[in-house]
Amino acid sequence: MLIVSRHKDSLVAGSEVWMVKPEHIDDILRICITSPRYLPEGKRCGAVIATDAELSAGALISTIRSCAVGLDLPPLLAVSIGYPLDAAPPFVLRRNRDLTPTAWPAFASATPCLTGLSETFATGEGEAFLAFIDEELRPALAEHFPIDPDDVTLTGQSFGGLFVLSALVRRPNAFRRYLAVSPSLWWDDGAVLRMAERAAVTFPAPSATVYMCIGELENKARFGAQFAAVKSQLPSAMQKADMMGDMFVMQRLLQPWVGTQFSIEAHVFPEESHESIMGAALSRGLRRLYGNL
């Protein structure tokens, strides 16, 4: 990984932005990094790495910092991965490439009706993105900040939640904690659910804690209303998506791992939608994963 530039953030104290060129991704990524306000001399902290910096960075920083003041969370480095602010095509297309586990042409052809953009973008490069985080970004963070590289939480929402769970079943021991928010497990007719079924009988139980959550308003009726105008243009798997049901299927598929080393929890947040859930998910999910809820 090449750090193309590195500068202090002018809005958030203790924050900086890296522009990096990954080894196996033909793109520039924008990494937002915020150090804990208080860390005793000589101590190392854990880190939370989130996808979709454009959507998650502010909420992640405020949640981690506020909860650390009240001892609801330990001091943590907040890291969000996104794209240059002037990227063209924009992040809403680039994330489709990096957060999805398989190439799915049916979704690519439906992208314009979902985004309002004429461009389409490749999908299915999640393995390269995972390798970047695991093999390139994490060691670089440990080199420049006082973190424990073995104490990392991975989190993301929607396609980000899908990515988190695909990371879990592809590299079960890569991270200590996984927070998957509103995971889009309908992707490619349940590709990650099939991966999970294989992983549970192929890999030994990892030393990891998993928290999945979804809003009670993320249901078929609401999605049907949201996408009514374009429903006929969507892949059938997306039209029939049962996000809440898929989350509990994932929990069941990974039950063979559950024991002293591994735990997985699924939670439904009342009165939250796909668009409103992130604040509650970060607060409740991180506190749960770090044993303070």
Side-chain angles (χ1 to χ4, degrees):
M1 180 185 84
L2 173 66
I3 300 177
V4 178
S5 66
R6 178 182 179 185
H7 65 268
K8 298 290 186 183
D9 189 290
S10 60
L11 296 177
V12 181
S15 294
E16 59 183 76
V17 176
W18 292 4
M19 306 297 285
V20 307
K21 175 66 178 72
E23 186 173 347
H24 299 296
I25 299 175
D26 186 20
D27 208 344
I28 299 294
L29 302 180
R30 184 175 185 268
I31 315 297
C32 303
I33 307 164
T34 303
S35 298
R37 280 201 178 99
Y38 308 107
L39 187 64
E41 186 71 27
K43 294 290 186 180
R44 292 188 171 271
C45 64
V48 179
I49 298 178
T51 65
D52 290 319
E54 294 82 359
L55 303 175
S56 67
L60 182 67
I61 293 166
S62 62
T63 299
I64 285 177
R65 283 192 159 181
S66 296
C67 286
V69 170
L71 304 181
D72 292 304
L73 288 174
L76 295 166
L77 189 77
V79 182
S80 297
I81 307 171
Y83 306 93
L85 299 181
D86 59 354
F91 86 96
V92 293
L93 295 181
R94 280 172 152 74
R95 71 191 294 269
N96 294 348
R97 173 196 63 199
D98 293 332
L99 300 181
T100 53
T102 56
W104 192 23
F107 180 83
S109 63
T111 301
C113 76
L114 292 169
T115 64
L117 301 171
S118 60
E119 301 100 328
T120 61
F121 220 62
T123 58
E125 296 299 321
E127 178 58 36
F129 195 63
L130 174 58
F132 159 70
I133 296 172
D134 189 22
E135 301 170 15
E136 300 180 65
L137 180 60
R138 177 163 47 184
L141 292 171
E143 180 181 348
H144 290 90
F145 298 94
I147 68 164
D148 177 356
D150 295 321
D151 186 9
V152 176
T153 297
L154 182 66
T155 186
Q157 191 258 348
S158 193
F159 276 4
L162 174 75
F163 173 75
V164 167
L165 294 176
S166 68
L168 170 66
V169 298
R170 279 176 156 160
R171 301 191 182 197
N173 288 295
F175 304 97
R176 188 173 295 181
R177 302 171 195 85
Y178 298 81
L179 172 54
V181 183
S182 304
S184 298
L185 289 167
W186 47 262
W187 177 265
D188 195 4
D189 296 292
V192 170
L193 293 174
R194 297 191 296 273
M195 291 179 189
E197 187 171 23
R198 292 192 297 270
V201 297
T202 302
F203 297 115
S207 297
T209 306
V210 181
Y211 185 91
M212 303 181 293
C213 58
I214 200 165
E216 71 168 342
L217 301 180
E218 300 187 63
N219 53 54
K220 290 183 179 181
R222 185 180 177 104
F223 286 141
Q226 282 182 294
F227 297 114
V230 297
K231 182 178 179 180
S232 63
Q233 301 176 61
L234 302 180
S236 60
M238 191 174 181
Q239 294 183 36
K240 299 181 293 184
D242 179 7
M243 293 183 63
M244 192 179 302
D246 286 344
M247 181 181 72
F248 288 109
V249 170
M250 173 63 80
Q251 184 182 36
R252 175 180 59 78
L253 290 174
L254 295 183
Q255 280 301 304
W257 279 351
V258 172
T260 57
Q261 295 186 123
F262 180 83
S263 66
I264 183 168
E265 183 175 352
H267 186 82
V268 177
F269 286 104
E271 301 179 348
E272 299 290 355
S273 71
H274 196 71
E275 292 73 28
S276 71
I277 192 173
M278 200 58 185
L282 285 173
S283 172
R284 296 288 297 274
L286 290 176
R287 285 185 290 149
R288 189 70 171 169
L289 287 171
Y290 284 89
N292 291 324
L293 184 64

